């Protein structure tokens, strides 16, 4: 995978003949475990080789995105959407093919990543900020704004293990959306917190999306895709459809 400098003159994503495979060990051909393995990473299952079942999560995918593209990924659970997002973020290396991403990436894929239950909310803001690619100086300069947006007040001085799941999600969301990104990758965890916080979250996300050059969003929510995206692509057992205009969403979902 090639990650170009954030100072690149043109933000872009170019994926050429991408194939992603995962070996799954100790899985019998007719077992429930095999079914769960497919659902976990998506794609299709090959024959067992040397005790491992090979899962092809993405097969020969080609994709080109340019500034202004907002791509929605659709498909059932296990179709390869999250695997593609992780590959674009650099978390997974291609087995075959190439990925070139020009611009600074913000990957909003896992709200629980990097959370330290024993540390305070403030310390977790710093930790999550570093994971998101912010420098220590950038984190401190944004600390007041992030802390205010969480709405957690004095709880920020308490250990995260005392937080409810909703409180943890609010903190993680506030940090994840404080970044400046050329390429924004988002999985389907946008609806966090109560109704009031969700309104604030959507406004914050819309602002973040408007500032980003490219968005790739995986979701089952039709209204969400129409709100954020202008293009759509369907994943089915690791195989991608052609990229279509978002106005073709209903047609693509029915295919």
């Amino acid at each position: 995978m090639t990650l170009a400098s954030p100072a690149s003159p043109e933000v872009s994503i170019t994926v050429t003949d991408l194939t992603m495979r995962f070996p799954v060990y100790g899985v019998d051909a007719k077992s429930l475990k095999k079914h769960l393995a497919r659902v976990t990473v998506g794609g299709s299952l090959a024959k067992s080789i040397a005790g491992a079942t090979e899962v092809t999560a993405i097969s020969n995918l080609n994709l080109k995105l340019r500034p202004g593209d907002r791509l929605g990924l659709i498909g059932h659970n296990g179709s390869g959407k999250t695997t593609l997002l992780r590959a674009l973020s650099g978390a997974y290396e291609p087995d075959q093919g190439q990925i070139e991403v020009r611009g600074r990436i913000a990957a909003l894929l896992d709200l629980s990543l990097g959370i330290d239950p024993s540390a305070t909310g403030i310390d977790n803001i710093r930790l999550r900020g570093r994971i998101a690619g912010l420098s220590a100086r950038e984190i401190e300069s944004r600390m007041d704004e992030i802390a205010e947006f969480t709405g957690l007040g004095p709880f920020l001085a308490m250990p995260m293990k005392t937080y409810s799941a909703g409180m943890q999600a609010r903190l993680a969301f506030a940090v994840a959306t404080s970044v400046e990104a050329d390429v924004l990758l988002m999985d389907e965890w946008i609806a966090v917190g109560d109704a009031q916080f969700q309104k604030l979250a959507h406004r914050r996300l819309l602002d973040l999306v408007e500032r980003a050059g490219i968005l790739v969003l995986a979701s089952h929510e039709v209204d969400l895709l129409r709100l954020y995206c202008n293009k759509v692509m369907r994943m089915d057992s690791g195989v991608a459809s052609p990229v279509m205009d978002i106005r073709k969403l209903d047609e693509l979902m029915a295919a």
Side-chain angles (χ1 to χ4, degrees), residues 3 88 109 163 172 213:
L3 294 179
L88 294 175
L109 305 181
Y163 289 18

Side-chain angles (χ1 to χ4, degrees), residues 4-12 66-67 100-104 182 213-214:
S5 165
S8 298
E10 182 179 352
V11 178
S12 65
R66 296 293 181 262
E100 181 182 33
V101 179
R102 293 184 176 274
R104 183 172 182 175
D182 301 309
I214 294 173

Side-chain angles (χ1 to χ4, degrees), residues 76-94:
H76 58 74
N77 292 336
S79 62
K81 303 187 303 297
T82 298
T83 298
L84 176 58
L85 288 173
R86 290 175 178 169
L88 294 175
S89 74
Y92 292 161
E93 286 289 333

Side-chain angles (χ1 to χ4, degrees), residues 197-242:
F197 186 79
Q198 286 183 29
K199 291 180 182 178
L200 297 174
H202 278 293
R203 284 198 293 268
R204 189 175 176 93
L205 273 175
L206 281 171
D207 184 55
L208 184 61
V209 169
E210 287 174 1
R211 298 197 307 270
I214 294 173
L215 166 70
V216 184
L217 166 66
S219 179
H220 294 291
E221 297 293 332
V222 172
D223 291 340
L224 202 63
L225 291 167
R226 289 199 174 101
L227 176 64
Y228 288 110
C229 301
N230 54 25
K231 296 183 176 182
V232 63
M233 182 174 78
R234 181 184 176 89
M235 300 289 294
D236 186 6
S237 297
V239 178
S241 75

Side-chain angles (χ1 to χ4, degrees), residues 116-178:
D116 182 352
S118 299
T120 67
I122 291 294
D123 287 339
N124 272 285
I125 288 175
R126 294 189 176 102
L127 181 59
R128 287 277 318 196
R130 295 308 297 268
I131 291 173
L134 298 174
S135 67
R137 180 175 296 181
E138 287 175 323
I139 295 169
E140 295 306 320
S141 69
R142 302 176 194 188
M143 180 64 75
D144 290 345
E145 186 276 333
I146 294 171
E148 181 179 358
F149 186 80
T150 67
L152 297 176
F155 284 99
L156 290 172
M158 299 178 65
M160 286 281 286
K161 62 186 177 184
T162 65
Y163 289 18
S164 67
M167 293 166 69
Q168 291 186 30
R170 289 171 67 147
L171 184 143
F173 179 90
V175 180
T177 53
S178 67

